[in-house]
Amino acid sequence: MIRADRKDKERIIDILTSSFEENKSVNYIIQQDGKRMERIRNLMDYSFELCHMFGHVFLSDDKKACALILLPDKKKTSIKSILLDMKLITSSMGISNIKKAMEREAKVKRLHPKGLIYYLWYIGVDAEEQNMGIGSSLLKEVLKESYTKQRPVYLETSELKNIPWYEKFGFKIYNELDLGYKLIFMKRD
């Protein structure tokens, strides 16, 4: 696993866009129009920037998988973070989705624990390379990293088919939300 930097940004956005194209949670906040794929790319760009500033961005050694980790205790409001939020609204969500997205975010935050956590925001594998163990290898490395930092790992998934995969790595369901789709909250201490 390597720590990604700006030169890896486009590769990471490509991986995440293809991995999350049909994701219920992503599509819940993205304006659904003819620019949907561009809007998903913009969301992944935003996510990369936030994790680059307030967490970690990792790539598998072969650059076929990536993981975005947010450290919520490190996240600070700044001019740059405000500008990123504004760009997210205009380029991904659309003005009409602001209220829905903010309500969703408030519900999610209420269920997140307080304290030092390793928030696995996204983990994705190049679409043509899925089901070959690349994501599993990367997740193992992320878990090792969280262990050295002494931070439990938290995530949400809207893809019920992914739950057994996460459970294989010791994650447990600790809550869920019904947002018109099920959002499952998982943790690994």
Side-chain angles (χ1 to χ4, degrees):
M1 174 173 80
I2 57 176
R3 198 171 297 271
D5 57 30
R6 294 226 172 267
K7 71 179 175 13
D8 303 307
K9 181 177 173 178
E10 286 305 311
R11 177 67 183 137
I12 289 163
I13 292 171
D14 288 344
I15 292 169
L16 294 175
T17 300
S18 69
S19 296
F20 286 85
E21 177 181 353
E22 300 302 323
N23 182 275
K24 294 176 188 89
S25 188
V26 166
N27 282 289
Y28 181 79
I29 63 164
I30 295 297
Q31 185 173 337
Q32 300 296 305
D33 61 12
K35 296 180 179 179
R36 187 177 70 84
M37 290 305 294
E38 180 183 334
R39 293 180 188 285
I40 292 172
R41 284 190 70 78
N42 292 337
L43 172 64
M44 297 311 167
D45 182 289
Y46 169 84
S47 304
F48 173 92
E49 291 294 336
L50 226 54
C51 290
H52 194 261
M53 288 174 16
F54 306 117
H56 307 293
V57 180
F58 296 117
L59 270 169
S60 60
D61 291 333
D62 59 9
K63 297 190 176 188
K64 294 179 180 179
C66 63
L68 272 58
I69 309 297
L70 188 63
L71 304 174
D73 59 294
K74 303 287 186 195
K75 190 175 175 194
K76 307 287 184 244
T77 301
S78 66
I79 297 293
K80 185 172 182 178
S81 69
I82 291 169
L83 290 173
L84 280 171
D85 289 345
M86 289 173 34
K87 182 179 174 188
L88 174 70
I89 290 167
T90 59
S91 70
S92 293
M93 296 183 335
I95 303 296
S96 61
N97 281 351
I98 293 173
K99 183 176 184 232
K100 181 171 80 167
M102 289 179 68
E103 288 171 351
R104 177 191 176 276
E105 187 65 18
K107 289 175 183 177
V108 167
K109 279 189 177 183
R110 278 195 292 271
L111 296 176
H112 277 187
K114 305 298 179 240
L116 302 179
I117 69 167
Y118 222 62
Y119 178 62
L120 179 55
W121 196 357
Y122 291 106
I123 184 167
V125 177
D126 192 327
E128 291 142 21
E129 305 292 335
Q130 292 179 358
N131 301 310
M132 297 179 166
I134 298 167
S136 294
S137 294
L138 180 59
L139 183 55
K140 286 177 191 173
E141 293 295 316
V142 167
L143 294 174
K144 281 184 203 171
E145 178 80 11
S146 74
Y147 181 79
T148 63
K149 304 284 187 200
Q150 298 183 344
R151 289 177 179 247
V153 182
Y154 284 77
L155 62 88
E156 295 97 46
T157 185
S158 60
E159 298 300 322
L160 303 181
K161 67 182 182 189
N162 290 344
I163 293 171
W165 184 70
Y166 287 119
E167 289 175 333
K168 184 172 81 171
F169 293 96
F171 284 89
K172 306 267 187 249
I173 296 172
Y174 74 92
N175 219 324
E176 68 180 61
L177 271 178
D178 184 355
L179 298 163
Y181 66 91
K182 280 190 187 245
L183 186 62
I184 306 299
F185 292 70
M186 302 185 80
K187 68 178 179 175
R188 184 179 189 273
D189 293 318

